[in-house]
Protein backbone atom coordinates (compact mmCIF):
# COMPACT_ATOMS: atom_id res chain seq x y z
CA UNK A 1 0.00 0.00 0.00
CA UNK A 2 2.83 2.37 0.87
CA UNK A 3 4.59 1.55 -2.40
CA UNK A 4 1.48 2.50 -4.38
CA UNK A 5 1.13 5.69 -2.35
CA UNK A 6 4.79 6.57 -2.80
CA UNK A 7 4.68 5.89 -6.54
CA UNK A 8 1.54 7.91 -7.32
CA UNK A 9 1.02 10.19 -4.31
CA UNK A 10 -2.60 9.05 -3.95
CA UNK A 11 -4.43 7.54 -0.98
CA UNK A 12 -4.56 3.73 -0.93
CA UNK A 13 -7.27 1.63 0.75
CA UNK A 14 -7.73 -2.00 1.74
CA UNK A 15 -11.33 -3.22 1.94
CA UNK A 16 -12.83 -6.54 3.03
CA UNK A 17 -16.34 -7.96 3.02
CA UNK A 18 -18.03 -8.12 6.39
CA UNK A 19 -21.64 -9.25 6.62
CA UNK A 20 -22.35 -8.15 3.07
CA UNK A 21 -20.81 -4.69 3.42
CA UNK A 22 -17.48 -3.29 2.29
CA UNK A 23 -15.37 -2.31 5.31
CA UNK A 24 -12.18 -0.30 5.02
CA UNK A 25 -9.52 -2.06 7.09
CA UNK A 26 -6.61 0.20 6.27
CA UNK A 27 -5.90 3.55 4.68
CA UNK A 28 -2.52 4.92 3.68
CA UNK A 29 -2.80 8.67 3.26
CA UNK A 30 -1.60 10.16 -0.01
CA UNK A 31 1.16 12.73 -0.24
CA UNK A 32 -0.75 15.24 -2.36
CA UNK A 33 -2.31 18.29 -0.68
CA UNK A 34 -5.77 17.01 -1.74
CA UNK A 35 -7.28 14.95 1.12
CA UNK A 36 -10.22 12.57 1.09
CA UNK A 37 -11.81 13.11 4.47
CA UNK A 38 -15.01 11.11 3.98
CA UNK A 39 -13.36 7.67 3.86
CA UNK A 40 -11.26 6.47 6.77
CA UNK A 41 -10.19 3.15 8.19
CA UNK A 42 -13.29 1.47 9.68
CA UNK A 43 -15.64 3.15 7.18
CA UNK A 44 -18.47 1.00 5.86
CA UNK A 45 -19.39 1.58 2.22
CA UNK A 46 -22.32 0.21 0.20
CA UNK A 47 -21.15 -2.37 -2.33
CA UNK A 48 -22.56 -0.58 -5.38
CA UNK A 49 -20.33 2.49 -5.05
CA UNK A 50 -16.60 3.02 -4.82
CA UNK A 51 -13.86 1.14 -6.65
CA UNK A 52 -12.92 -1.38 -3.96
CA UNK A 53 -16.54 -2.16 -3.01
CA UNK A 54 -17.59 -2.69 -6.64
CA UNK A 55 -14.50 -4.87 -7.21
CA UNK A 56 -15.66 -6.99 -4.27
CA UNK A 57 -19.25 -7.07 -5.50
CA UNK A 58 -18.23 -8.13 -9.02
CA UNK A 59 -16.83 -11.37 -7.64
CA UNK A 60 -19.71 -11.92 -5.18
CA UNK A 61 -22.55 -10.93 -7.49
CA UNK A 62 -24.60 -14.11 -7.03
CA UNK A 63 -24.95 -13.75 -3.28
CA UNK A 64 -24.84 -9.94 -2.83
CA UNK A 65 -26.41 -8.30 -5.90
CA UNK A 66 -29.92 -7.96 -4.44
CA UNK A 67 -28.65 -6.33 -1.27
CA UNK A 68 -26.28 -4.05 -3.20
CA UNK A 69 -29.08 -2.94 -5.52
CA UNK A 70 -31.42 -2.17 -2.60
CA UNK A 71 -28.66 -0.13 -0.93
CA UNK A 72 -28.00 1.73 -4.19
CA UNK A 73 -31.67 2.69 -4.40
CA UNK A 74 -31.47 4.33 -0.99
CA UNK A 75 -28.54 6.57 -1.98
CA UNK A 76 -29.25 10.22 -2.65
CA UNK A 77 -26.84 10.21 -5.58
CA UNK A 78 -27.48 6.99 -7.51
CA UNK A 79 -24.70 5.80 -9.81
CA UNK A 80 -27.10 3.54 -11.79
CA UNK A 81 -30.49 4.09 -13.36
CA UNK A 82 -31.35 0.39 -13.43
CA UNK A 83 -30.15 -3.03 -12.36
CA UNK A 84 -28.98 -3.81 -15.91
CA UNK A 85 -26.42 -0.99 -15.74
CA UNK A 86 -25.04 -2.35 -12.48
CA UNK A 87 -24.80 -5.94 -13.72
CA UNK A 88 -23.10 -4.76 -16.93
CA UNK A 89 -20.54 -2.87 -14.87
CA UNK A 90 -19.88 -5.92 -12.70
CA UNK A 91 -19.35 -8.08 -15.80
CA UNK A 92 -16.89 -5.50 -17.16
CA UNK A 93 -14.98 -5.50 -13.87
CA UNK A 94 -14.64 -9.29 -14.01
CA UNK A 95 -13.34 -9.11 -17.60
CA UNK A 96 -10.98 -6.15 -17.00
CA UNK A 97 -9.84 -7.34 -13.57
CA UNK A 98 -10.35 -3.90 -12.01
CA UNK A 99 -12.98 -1.24 -11.37
CA UNK A 100 -12.94 2.49 -11.98
CA UNK A 101 -15.36 4.89 -10.32
CA UNK A 102 -15.65 8.66 -10.27
CA UNK A 103 -17.85 11.02 -8.26
CA UNK A 104 -19.94 8.21 -6.76
CA UNK A 105 -18.73 8.33 -3.15
CA UNK A 106 -17.37 11.88 -3.10
CA UNK A 107 -17.71 14.53 -5.80
CA UNK A 108 -14.37 15.19 -7.49
CA UNK A 109 -12.85 11.89 -6.33
CA UNK A 110 -12.08 8.90 -8.54
CA UNK A 111 -10.74 5.48 -7.61
CA UNK A 112 -9.38 2.32 -9.16
CA UNK A 113 -9.98 -0.98 -7.35
CA UNK A 114 -8.62 -4.50 -7.76
CA UNK A 115 -9.66 -7.74 -6.06
CA UNK A 116 -7.46 -9.86 -3.82
CA UNK A 117 -7.99 -13.64 -3.97
CA UNK A 118 -7.21 -16.35 -1.44
CA UNK A 119 -5.76 -19.83 -1.98
CA UNK A 120 -9.10 -21.10 -3.29
CA UNK A 121 -9.71 -18.23 -5.68
CA UNK A 122 -12.26 -16.53 -3.43
CA UNK A 123 -12.26 -12.75 -3.55
CA UNK A 124 -11.62 -11.79 0.06
CA UNK A 125 -10.45 -8.18 -0.17
CA UNK A 126 -9.75 -5.32 -2.57
CA UNK A 127 -7.11 -2.64 -2.87
CA UNK A 128 -7.88 0.77 -4.28
CA UNK A 129 -6.08 3.94 -5.23
CA UNK A 130 -8.19 7.08 -4.77
CA UNK A 131 -7.61 10.73 -5.39
CA UNK A 132 -8.63 13.80 -7.29
CA UNK A 133 -10.51 12.76 -10.44
CA UNK A 134 -8.21 14.82 -12.68
CA UNK A 135 -5.18 12.83 -11.45
CA UNK A 136 -6.71 9.37 -11.73
CA UNK A 137 -8.62 9.81 -14.98
CA UNK A 138 -5.57 11.03 -16.90
CA UNK A 139 -2.68 9.73 -18.96
CA UNK A 140 -1.34 8.21 -15.72
CA UNK A 141 -4.37 5.92 -15.33
CA UNK A 142 -2.90 2.94 -17.28
CA UNK A 143 0.23 2.97 -15.09
CA UNK A 144 -1.91 3.14 -11.94
CA UNK A 145 -4.09 0.25 -13.12
CA UNK A 146 -1.04 -1.87 -13.94
CA UNK A 147 0.62 -1.13 -10.59
CA UNK A 148 -2.59 -1.80 -8.65
CA UNK A 149 -3.14 -5.11 -10.47
CA UNK A 150 0.46 -6.13 -9.72
CA UNK A 151 0.04 -5.21 -6.03
CA UNK A 152 -3.28 -7.07 -5.68
CA UNK A 153 -1.77 -10.02 -7.53
CA UNK A 154 1.24 -10.07 -5.22
CA UNK A 155 -0.94 -10.03 -2.11
CA UNK A 156 -3.07 -12.81 -3.63
CA UNK A 157 0.06 -14.90 -4.38
CA UNK A 158 1.25 -14.41 -0.80
CA UNK A 159 -2.11 -15.79 0.32
CA UNK A 160 -1.51 -18.87 -1.83
CA UNK A 161 -3.56 -17.90 -4.88
CA UNK A 162 -2.41 -19.35 -8.19
CA UNK A 163 -4.61 -18.08 -11.04
CA UNK A 164 -3.63 -21.03 -13.24
CA UNK A 165 -4.75 -23.65 -10.71
CA UNK A 166 -8.36 -24.53 -10.01
CA UNK A 167 -9.12 -25.44 -6.38
CA UNK A 168 -12.18 -27.17 -5.03
Amino acid sequence: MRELRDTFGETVYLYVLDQGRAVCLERVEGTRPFRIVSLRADSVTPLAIGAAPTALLAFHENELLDRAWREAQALAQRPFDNLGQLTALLAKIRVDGYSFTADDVTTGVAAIGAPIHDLYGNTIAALSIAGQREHLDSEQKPAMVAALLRAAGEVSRRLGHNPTTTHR
Side-chain angles (χ1 to χ4, degrees), residues 10 57 97 122 125-126 153:
E10 306 296 352
L57 178 59
N122 300 310

Side-chain angles (χ1 to χ4, degrees), residues 91-156:
K92 181 177 180 354
I93 292 168
R94 287 190 298 273
V95 169
D96 295 345
Y98 73 93
S99 61
F100 178 80
T101 61
D103 299 318
D104 60 344
V105 177
T106 304
T107 301
V109 173
I112 305 164
I116 294 171
H117 307 286
D118 69 7
L119 171 67
Y120 303 103
N122 300 310
T123 302
I124 59 166
L127 281 175
S128 69
I129 299 172
Q132 200 168 4
R133 184 184 47 216
E134 291 78 20
H135 292 161
L136 269 76
D137 200 8
S138 69
E139 68 280 347
Q140 203 174 21
K141 181 180 173 184
M144 287 184 187
V145 168
L148 183 64
L149 290 173
R150 278 192 305 275
E154 177 59 26
V155 173
S156 296

Side-chain angles (χ1 to χ4, degrees), residues 36-51:
I36 303 168
V37 296
S38 61
L39 295 173
R40 60 188 195 290
D42 82 5
S43 294
V44 176
T45 305
L47 288 168
I49 62 170

Side-chain angles (χ1 to χ4, degrees), residues 17-89:
L17 278 176
D18 182 34
Q19 299 180 10
R21 305 292 300 270
V23 178
C24 179
L25 281 188
E26 186 64 53
R27 169 188 165 134
V28 176
E29 189 68 43
T31 59
R32 296 184 183 273
F34 180 84
R35 295 286 182 252
I36 303 168
V37 296
S38 61
L39 295 173
R40 60 188 195 290
D42 82 5
S43 294
V44 176
T45 305
L47 288 168
I49 62 170
T54 57
L56 289 167
L57 178 59
F59 292 91
H60 289 276
E61 183 175 350
N62 290 340
E63 66 264 29
L64 295 175
L65 182 62
D66 290 339
R67 177 183 179 151
W69 179 244
R70 282 192 311 274
E71 288 177 347
Q73 296 307 294
L75 298 171
Q77 187 174 345
R78 292 187 193 128
F80 309 102
D81 292 328
N82 58 60
L83 184 57
Q85 288 178 339
L86 176 57
T87 57
L89 172 66

